[in-house]
Amino acid sequence: METKPPVPRAILVGIQVPSVDDVAHAASIEELGRLVKTLGYEVVGTMSQKRDGIDGGTVLGKGRLEELAAITGGTGIVGSMAIPQKSKARERFEDADEKKPDAPQIEPNPEAPPKPEFVIVDHEISPSQARNLERATGAQVLDRTGVIVEIFHRHAHSREAKLQVEIARLKYVSPRLRESSAGGGRQQGSGAGESDLELDRRKIRDRLAELKEQLEDIQRDNDQRRSARSAPGRAGRVHERREVVAHACAHGQRGAGRGQALRDA
């Protein structure tokens, strides 16, 4: 008997700016919840905060960030992903501390619900904001655009749609890449001198160039077939569909336009 994988758990985060009233803010969070459920995630909670904007380093204020971290099992501290260098005095202190009798360990409660693995932000946030939230919460962070791109990826069926969505995903992921906590080593041999991060970004650039070339070939063939058929109005509708898909993936548009694009993809 096959065991079903656990359903990912997510908590939604929304910032209500002065220009958005309570009704519109609640409707936006509700819509995000439906999108997240479309991905197959379970929404286990929602956190909102009224702020002047979402341009802060962690999106949320310090107090709210600590509350969110308590839910996800994080530290609530952004800190740095780099491993700090220890002085000899610090190493001697820690060695001596390790020789002390172990303090009583608090056993985890087996009946406690699992922590949310995802924090979903109801806004488009910058890569640095996403990194800061991940460091503080210990959870994976997606913004509204990231959720929509993932939905398009799962619902794309035609070769052209799949290429369009993969291009959008790579463009979304590339600036959000970061070095591992162990630090980025330098490559040996081909590509020597590049860090792991630089190598990953170069691979994405190369892949994007390849995908764009494939997409152009498909669109060129499609245009030639449409011209041969000379079906009035059809070319315009196909071109409009392409624009809808590209716009939704890049900007996370809301409302009926996105819903129609999802069904067509």
Side-chain angles (χ1 to χ4, degrees):
M1 182 176 179
E2 294 184 0
T3 303
K4 292 184 179 181
V7 176
R9 296 163 60 87
I11 183 167
L12 311 183
V13 172
I15 299 298
Q16 184 177 356
V17 295
S19 60
V20 177
D21 61 29
D22 293 346
V23 175
H25 178 65
S28 180
I29 291 290
E30 183 179 353
E31 182 192 38
L32 179 64
R34 290 194 297 268
L35 291 172
V36 171
K37 290 177 183 177
T38 300
L39 283 180
Y41 297 175
E42 178 187 0
V43 176
V44 297
T46 300
M47 177 172 289
S48 296
Q49 185 175 28
K50 293 184 177 181
R51 303 196 77 186
D52 291 335
I54 58 171
D55 54 353
T58 56
V59 182
L60 293 166
K62 181 180 178 182
R64 282 293 196 189
L65 182 62
E66 291 175 349
E67 290 179 26
L68 178 61
I71 296 172
T72 60
T75 63
I77 301 173
V78 173
S80 172
M81 294 293 285
I83 298 178
Q85 298 295 323
K86 297 179 182 178
S87 65
K88 292 186 180 297
R90 179 66 180 176
E91 290 178 351
R92 288 195 297 269
F93 174 78
E94 292 183 356
D95 288 343
D97 188 61
E98 289 178 355
K99 296 177 182 178
K100 295 179 180 179
D102 291 338
Q105 298 295 315
I106 299 176
E107 294 294 331
N109 182 2
E111 297 182 358
K115 303 287 187 182
E117 303 100 328
F118 288 88
V119 170
I120 313 292
V121 182
D122 187 29
H123 309 276
E124 185 171 351
I125 61 176
S126 70
S128 61
Q129 287 176 317
R131 285 193 293 270
N132 289 340
L133 279 174
E134 288 182 345
R135 292 170 184 171
T137 63
Q140 297 182 56
V141 174
L142 282 176
D143 61 9
R144 175 179 278 266
T145 301
V147 170
I148 293 172
V149 168
E150 285 298 323
I151 292 174
F152 270 97
H153 174 67
R154 297 186 185 187
H155 291 268
H157 298 298
S158 70
R159 175 63 175 160
E160 182 179 0
K162 289 179 179 179
L163 288 173
Q164 289 174 326
V165 172
E166 187 173 356
I167 288 172
R169 289 186 76 204
L170 290 177
K171 286 182 176 180
Y172 177 82
V173 168
S174 181
R176 289 164 172 79
L177 292 176
R178 54 197 174 279
E179 297 285 11
S180 66
S181 58
R186 293 286 166 175
Q187 299 295 314
Q188 302 295 324
S190 178
E194 288 185 320
S195 68
D196 292 337
L197 178 61
E198 292 166 343
L199 180 62
D200 289 341
R201 285 179 173 163
R202 180 167 62 82
K203 288 180 178 178
I204 287 181
R205 288 195 299 269
D206 292 344
R207 179 61 176 160
L208 278 171
E210 178 185 350
L211 292 172
K212 288 178 180 178
E213 185 176 348
Q214 293 177 22
L215 182 60
E216 288 173 0
D217 290 341
I218 290 176
Q219 292 175 344
R220 190 181 304 112
D221 291 342
N222 290 344
D223 290 340
Q224 290 174 353
R225 284 196 294 270
R226 281 192 296 270
S227 296
R229 288 195 301 264
S230 298
R234 179 177 175 82
R237 290 196 300 272
V238 173
H239 176 73
E240 181 182 358
R241 176 178 175 276
R242 288 180 190 164
E243 294 298 322
V244 170
V245 171
H247 180 74
C249 289
H251 301 289
Q253 72 173 30
R254 302 179 179 181
R258 182 178 60 253
Q260 183 63 47
L262 281 171
R263 290 190 292 272
D264 292 343

